[in-house]
Amino acid sequence: MPSPIQQTQAIVLGRKESGESYWHLNLFSAIDGPLPVLLRKPSAKRSPKLSIPDLFDQIDVQLQGGRQGKSYFVEDLRILKHNIELAHHYQALIHASQFAHILWRNLTHAEHFEPIHTLLLQALEAFSQGVRPEVVHLKALYLFAREEGYPVREHWIATLPAALAKDAKHALSNPPNGDQPPSDKTENLLHLLQHYLKSHTDILI
């Protein structure tokens, strides 16, 4: 007896070919959380049935299977929104992909998916502007750590040298396109935050 069809809306966090017949997609749903799925490639013998979504597309999808830790299979898929603007900003795309990779590695341990999904949508909107993507990445990672319950303000910022702590507070409290420290300083802050999370939390970087 085939497993029931599950319908959900999700964001594509990862996409790669899986053998000759399938695409493997990492989907993130606000309701269902992380969903590893397989999408059959179009066959040369028949016209393509389903569109292949791009990274960070928002989709409506019908899935089957997924039991006992196995991937779901896509039965139907409709693209709701292409993230076209992000593709025009290479550095923003790199930072967005790195943040998405961190989210995917940690979603199975998350208690609540909706706030993280909202944070991701806000981060993608900011990344799509192409302005100071390292600041967007810094703010998104900082907020994700806070959402996971880690005292990053009280512990990470408080343990930074005074000049760095001042830059961190300034960067985090202002919009990316506003008054920000120079890029080399915010890139350094991002690396310091990643190192802190590796050393002092269970967040996988």
Side-chain angles (χ1 to χ4, degrees), residues 23-188:
W23 284 95
H24 184 278
L25 306 177
N26 294 336
L27 306 184
F28 176 33
S29 162
I31 304 300
D32 302 298
L35 299 167
V37 311
L38 290 172
L39 172 62
R40 184 179 290 277
K41 294 179 181 179
S43 170
K45 297 180 180 179
R46 61 180 186 272
S47 59
K49 180 184 177 184
L50 303 176
S51 299
I52 309 297
D54 290 324
L55 195 62
F56 304 127
D57 279 355
Q58 297 177 41
I59 64 174
D60 185 276
V61 63
Q62 291 184 0
L63 305 171
Q64 192 168 45
R67 293 181 175 179
Q68 299 176 343
K70 296 182 179 179
S71 293
Y72 291 87
F73 290 89
V74 175
E75 292 293 318
D76 194 20
L77 184 151
R78 182 166 58 95
I79 297 174
L80 302 175
K81 181 181 178 182
H82 281 299
N83 204 315
I84 300 172
E85 296 85 358
L86 188 52
H88 297 309
H89 303 288
Y90 179 73
Q91 286 301 320
L93 182 59
I94 294 297
H95 278 283
S97 299
Q98 291 171 350
F99 179 61
H101 179 69
I102 292 171
L103 284 188
W104 181 255
R105 296 190 70 193
N106 292 278
L107 282 173
T108 53
H109 308 295
E111 292 186 14
H112 306 288
F113 298 125
E114 233 175 300
I116 301 172
H117 191 271
T118 299
L119 170 61
L120 175 61
L121 286 174
Q122 292 171 344
L124 290 176
E125 180 66 26
F127 278 127
S128 296
Q129 304 303 312
V131 178
R132 299 300 296 273
E134 84 287 351
V135 175
V136 179
H137 192 171
L138 172 68
K139 291 165 75 79
L141 188 56
Y142 176 86
L143 292 172
F144 174 63
R146 281 183 51 182
E147 177 60 36
E148 291 298 283
Y150 293 106
V152 280
R153 182 178 182 86
E154 297 81 0
H155 191 214
W156 174 61
I157 293 180
T159 57
L160 290 173
L164 285 174
K166 181 180 179 181
D167 285 338
K169 292 176 183 178
H170 193 78
L172 293 167
S173 62
N174 288 285
N177 61 351
D179 183 23
Q180 286 288 340
S183 296
D184 59 335
K185 292 187 176 183
T186 47
E187 287 279 5
N188 184 43

